């Protein structure tokens, strides 16, 4: 004999378990069905010296990056980000060797702000017109030879695939003054869509790297090759600061005919030209400094004319605000995500404790990022105000804030490519 209370509890437990199992099974089946019917924007195979690293079945960019890191034979580097967002978050990080002299500015640990020593480092960002860190005395200049890049271009007609083999580079400049060498790697992008982004492994301590890595991009009709441009960005990895940008190579495929077989090309590596960066929309921000409280109030107001990042023709933007002292990030915050809009209104404020004597060395970076639930978040555009501002409007805005304490100064700024 079982009491009614016990019988009721047993019945309720069985009912709850049955419903939970049913919901779980239905969710799993629904997710599997979505994966089967989902068409990836592109897919590619990565060949390293004849060994297939990326199976053709991979259709998710996140999986591709993970397999490349685990199976390419290159150990995971601490402090090196592989996300698109992380690649741009720390764009003004640089070597803090300049703080070691007798006339050095105050150390970062004297700031009343928490220091993020474990921040991800940027593999390709640059704030100087030369595309390299201002603190690096060995950065390439106008009168320095940047070397040459050799690569192969081929097309697979049965599979409608563009095949690019990055073979080697010669005569790269010295980017590490301690070892008198470089740690080069290459990032490749297919323009103008910028959907196909890949990179080679890092080769240590060499000025003549031999990569021998093949990238096969599927879903590219041969008739569209004439409209595409291969963009190679040559960088030198730095474990403790922002990676150095050595130079770039732009190769329009309009003059290349891979229909009869592989075409080997050798191009001179040129100094990166940041003036090519086009506007990625506009962002309105307001800054106000309180000298008595020694606080900077940053208000992210709104953005407009953002580029379309989703297949729906819209975006899910949010703004990440990074504060730098010199070239070290000391604070980071972000706004809420605004769904399905190209003209978001944020109206969110952030307060930072900044001593007045450190204002000349402070920079504030605004990263407009497109949120994506299934793939990686992608940086839409960037704005920098303060010591490392590279635009006339950014310099003028910061000057007005410093000369007019306690007065909020709001301005529109064009976002640049990252």
């Amino acid at each position: 004999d079982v009491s009614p209370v016990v019988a009721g509890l047993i019945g309720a437990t069985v009912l709850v378990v049955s419903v939970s199992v049913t919901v779980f099974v239905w969710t799993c089946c629904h997710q599997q069905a979505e994966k089967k019917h989902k068409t990836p924007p592109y897919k590619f195979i990565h060949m390293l010296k004849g060994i297939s690293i990326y199976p053709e079945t991979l259709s998710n960019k996140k999986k591709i990056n993970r397999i490349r890191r685990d199976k390419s034979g290159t150990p995971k580097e601490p402090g090196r980000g592989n996300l698109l967002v992380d690649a741009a978050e720390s764009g003004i990080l640089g070597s803090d060797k300049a703080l070691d002299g007798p006339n050095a500015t105050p150390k970062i640990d004297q700031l009343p702000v928490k220091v993020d020593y474990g921040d991800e480092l940027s593999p390709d960002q640059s704030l100087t017109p030369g595309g390299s860190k201002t603190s690096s005395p060995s950065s390439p200049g106008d009168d320095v030879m940047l070397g040459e890049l050799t690569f192969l271009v081929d097309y697979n007609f049965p599979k409608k695939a563009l095949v690019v083999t990055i073979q080697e580079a010669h005569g790269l400049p010295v980017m590490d003054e301690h070892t008198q060498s470089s740690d080069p790697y290459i990032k490749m992008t297919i323009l103008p869509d910028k959907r196909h982004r890949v990179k080679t492994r890092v080769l240590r301590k060499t000025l003549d790297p031999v990569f021998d890595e093949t990238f096969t991009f599927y879903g590219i009709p041969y008739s569209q090759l004439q409209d595409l441009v291969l963009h190679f960005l040559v960088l030198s990895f730095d474990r403790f600061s922002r990676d150095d940008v050595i130079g770039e190579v732009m190769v329009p495929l309009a003059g290349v005919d891979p229909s009869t077989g592989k075409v080997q090309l050798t191009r001179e590596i040129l100094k990166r030209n940041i003036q090519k960066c086009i506007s990625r929309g506009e962002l309105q921000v307001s800054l106000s400094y309180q000298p008595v409280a020694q606080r900077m109030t940053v208000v992210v107001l709104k953005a407009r004319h953002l580029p379309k990042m989703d297949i729906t023709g819209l975006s899910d933007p949010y703004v990440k605000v990074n504060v730098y002292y010199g070239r070290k990030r000391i604070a980071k915050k972000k706004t809420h995500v605004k769904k399905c809009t190209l003209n978001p209104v944020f109206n969110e404020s952030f307060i930072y404790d900044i001593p007045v004597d450190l204002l000349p060395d402070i920079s504030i970076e605004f990263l407009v990022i497109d949120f994506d639930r299934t793939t990686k978040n992608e940086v839409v555009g960037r704005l920098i105000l303060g010591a490392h501002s590279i635009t006339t409007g950014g310099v003028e805005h910061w000057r007005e804030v410093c000369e007019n304490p306690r007065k909020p100064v709001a301005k529109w700024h064009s976002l640049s490519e990252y």
Side-chain angles (χ1 to χ4, degrees):
D1 294 337
V2 181
S3 66
V5 176
V6 176
L9 291 176
I10 294 176
T13 303
V14 172
L15 179 61
V16 170
V17 172
S18 301
V19 172
S20 301
V21 171
T22 303
V23 171
F24 177 76
V25 172
W26 180 87
T27 303
C28 293
C29 295
H30 185 68
Q31 291 179 350
Q32 291 295 333
E34 286 185 347
K35 290 182 179 179
K36 290 181 180 180
H37 292 86
K38 184 177 180 181
T39 302
Y42 70 92
K43 61 179 179 178
F44 63 89
I45 290 182
H46 185 186
M47 301 289 292
L48 174 59
K49 294 185 178 180
I51 302 174
S52 177
I53 297 179
Y54 301 152
E56 291 187 37
T57 56
L58 290 181
S59 60
N60 188 295
K61 185 169 61 175
K62 183 176 181 181
K63 294 181 181 179
I64 290 174
N65 283 335
R66 183 176 67 248
I67 291 178
R68 174 172 52 194
R69 183 178 65 243
D70 294 339
K71 296 186 179 181
S72 63
T74 303
K76 183 180 178 182
E77 298 292 343
R80 178 178 175 83
N82 64 337
L83 297 181
L84 295 177
V85 175
D86 295 336
E89 282 180 1
S90 305
I92 55 179
L93 289 177
S95 174
D96 47 358
K97 300 172 185 176
L99 300 178
D100 298 331
N103 299 324
T105 55
K107 293 293 183 180
I108 195 66
D109 54 8
Q110 299 176 3
L111 288 174
V113 190
K114 180 180 178 181
V115 181
D116 298 319
Y117 287 101
D119 292 342
E120 297 289 345
L121 305 179
S122 168
D124 63 345
Q125 302 311 312
S126 174
L127 296 180
T128 61
S132 58
K133 295 180 290 188
T134 56
S135 60
S136 175
S138 57
S139 298
D142 293 329
D143 56 346
V144 178
M145 297 297 295
L146 303 180
E148 295 181 338
L149 177 65
T150 302
F151 56 95
L152 295 173
V153 178
D154 193 9
Y155 189 81
N156 189 321
F157 284 92
K159 296 184 178 180
K160 295 183 179 180
L162 175 65
V163 182
V164 179
T165 301
I166 301 177
Q167 292 183 304
E168 57 189 4
H170 291 289
L172 299 182
V174 174
M175 306 303 293
D176 190 341
E177 59 179 356
H178 296 288
T179 62
Q180 287 299 304
S181 186
S182 298
D183 299 324
Y185 69 99
I186 296 177
K187 296 188 68 176
M188 193 195 81
T189 305
I190 299 181
L191 304 178
D193 292 339
K194 292 189 176 182
R195 292 189 307 168
H196 304 71
R197 300 183 180 188
V198 296
K199 63 181 177 180
T200 68
R201 69 197 189 285
V202 178
L203 298 183
R204 300 292 182 179
K205 299 181 180 179
T206 177
L207 300 180
D208 300 291
V210 179
F211 299 101
D212 196 12
E213 298 191 42
T214 301
F215 299 91
T216 304
F217 302 93
Y218 292 87
I220 300 180
Y222 182 78
S223 59
Q224 295 183 3
L225 288 186
Q226 302 301 311
D227 301 327
L228 302 181
V229 177
L230 300 183
H231 178 244
F232 301 91
L233 189 64
V234 186
L235 306 105
S236 178
F237 174 72
D238 192 328
R239 184 186 300 273
F240 302 106
S241 64
R242 176 174 53 86
D243 293 357
D244 295 281
V245 178
I246 297 176
E248 66 179 356
V249 176
M250 302 282 288
V251 183
L253 294 182
V256 180
D257 184 14
S259 60
T260 58
K262 296 181 179 179
V263 179
Q264 185 179 48
L265 301 172
T266 299
R267 294 290 186 269
E268 182 181 355
I269 301 174
L270 303 178
K271 187 175 181 180
R272 191 182 187 191
N273 183 10
I274 64 171
Q275 299 301 326
K276 296 178 182 178
C277 298
I278 61 175
S279 175
R280 305 285 289 175
E282 294 179 286
L283 179 67
Q284 186 184 41
V285 296
S286 172
L287 276 67
S288 175
Y289 186 72
Q290 304 291 333
V292 177
Q294 298 192 15
R295 289 182 176 179
M296 176 72 74
T297 302
V298 178
V299 183
V300 180
L301 295 172
K302 52 188 174 181
R304 63 188 180 190
H305 309 316
L306 297 181
K308 302 174 183 178
M309 305 300 292
D310 299 336
I311 59 176
T312 59
L314 298 173
S315 296
D316 301 322
Y318 69 94
V319 179
K320 186 164 188 178
V321 184
N322 297 319
V323 179
Y324 292 85
Y325 171 69
R327 310 191 80 84
K328 176 68 69 173
R329 185 167 68 178
I330 59 176
K332 57 181 180 180
K333 296 181 180 179
K334 61 182 179 180
T335 67
H336 293 86
V337 177
K338 301 299 180 179
K339 295 288 187 178
C340 301
T341 177
L342 300 179
N343 301 280
V345 177
F346 299 100
N347 284 334
E348 297 187 39
S349 62
F350 309 100
I351 298 177
Y352 304 94
D353 295 324
I354 302 176
V356 65
D357 56 327
L358 300 183
L359 275 180
D361 298 316
I362 294 294
S363 299
I364 303 177
E365 178 187 49
F366 301 86
L367 292 175
V368 180
I369 303 170
D370 175 51
F371 174 78
D372 198 319
R373 189 177 300 275
T374 58
T375 60
K376 296 176 182 178
N377 298 343
E378 186 172 359
V379 177
V380 176
R382 158 188 286 174
L383 166 66
I384 300 174
L385 303 179
H388 293 96
S389 179
I390 58 176
T391 63
T392 304
V395 174
E396 180 66 21
H397 193 174
W398 187 259
R399 185 187 63 79
E400 289 187 25
V401 172
C402 295
E403 292 180 355
N404 299 276
R406 295 176 295 275
K407 177 184 176 181
V409 181
K411 288 182 179 294
W412 282 99
H413 296 274
S414 295
L415 298 171
S416 62
E417 284 189 310
Y418 48 93

